[in-house]
Amino acid sequence: MIKEVTSLTHFDRLAKDWNKPENLMFWKMQSCRQGRNFDPDSIEFNLRNQLIYSLRHEGIIPYIKIWSYEIDGQNLAGCVFHANKNFMMNENIFEEVLWQMNGRFPKSYKDRKIMLELMNCAESYARKQKFKVISVSRDPALHNFTREQNSGINNYYTRNNYEAASIKYYKTLN
């Protein structure tokens, strides 16, 4: 069942699951290339602070929304979206920050179904709130035909030692 995180108590319980020592390798695998790693403690600290702000200023952009997928009190997956105004387009946008299983990649049909339910929940929320665009980011090595560094991208940046770190997907909402 999908539950919206609406209290710090709920967030702290989930953060304990997401940011436990046995998930450290997963966070490292999710990290940027070139030796820079995600810092789960920093992620937890900043999301907690953003949630505090969001709860105090409900519905006022910018804010975050967090949902978890839980069965019998056990957290299996979650997602975090950031509601913001894109000043370049002058439109409100709902951007994915995190969207993942708890400490692992989705492997089974059930896992993928859970992930899609979370995405559908976020998209439904975005539509109800009249966001014009929803956005998710993915590692190009996982969302391209190759698994090579830069996933076959060859341009000025890659020739000058930049690496493609994410592909951004946008969907216009009606």
Side-chain angles (χ1 to χ4, degrees):
M1 160 187 280
I2 294 176
K3 295 184 177 181
E4 182 177 347
V5 177
T6 58
S7 73
L8 291 178
T9 304
H10 190 188
F11 176 83
D12 290 341
R13 184 175 57 80
L14 294 174
K16 252 185 175 173
D17 288 342
W18 293 343
N19 188 13
K20 56 186 173 184
E22 51 267 39
N23 291 347
L24 194 56
M25 184 54 71
F26 175 75
W27 282 106
K28 199 169 194 168
M29 289 173 21
Q30 292 283 90
S31 295
C32 301
R33 298 181 183 119
Q34 298 180 343
R36 289 179 310 280
N37 293 317
F38 285 141
D39 180 344
D41 293 331
S42 176
I43 293 168
E44 179 181 337
F45 176 81
N46 283 284
L47 287 179
R48 189 175 201 284
N49 285 339
Q50 288 180 46
L51 180 61
I52 290 169
Y53 178 87
S54 298
L55 292 172
R56 288 182 181 160
H57 303 92
E58 192 170 333
I60 299 173
I61 289 179
Y63 64 88
I64 64 168
K65 282 290 186 182
I66 303 173
W67 291 278
S68 67
Y69 192 98
E70 301 175 27
I71 295 178
D72 296 328
Q74 181 184 5
N75 169 45
L76 302 178
C79 66
V80 179
F81 276 77
H82 184 247
N84 203 4
K85 179 132 187 153
N86 182 303
F87 71 90
M88 297 290 284
M89 297 182 288
N90 195 31
E91 293 179 335
N92 291 342
I93 186 168
F94 204 51
E95 298 176 285
E96 173 252 349
V97 176
L98 294 171
W99 174 42
Q100 62 195 42
M101 298 297 294
N102 185 9
R104 62 187 175 83
F105 290 107
K107 295 176 185 162
S108 67
Y109 173 77
K110 180 182 175 183
D111 290 350
R112 289 181 186 96
K113 187 176 176 197
I114 288 170
M115 296 300 284
L116 288 175
E117 285 183 41
L118 283 165
M119 177 55 69
N120 289 337
C121 175
E123 192 173 310
S124 176
Y125 172 84
R127 283 183 200 285
K128 286 178 190 166
Q129 297 303 310
K130 307 282 191 236
F131 282 91
K132 296 204 176 207
V133 177
I134 191 168
S135 167
V136 295
S137 299
R138 292 281 139 312
D139 183 334
L142 300 174
H143 287 256
N144 206 323
F145 296 109
T146 72
R147 298 236 186 249
E148 302 167 7
Q149 178 177 336
N150 288 319
S151 299
I153 298 169
N154 183 15
N155 58 30
Y156 169 84
Y157 303 105
T158 58
R159 287 188 300 272
N160 283 284
N161 299 318
Y162 287 84
E163 289 185 35
S166 72
I167 296 172
K168 236 174 165 44
Y169 294 94
Y170 293 90
K171 182 176 185 178
T172 301
L173 303 173
N174 298 331

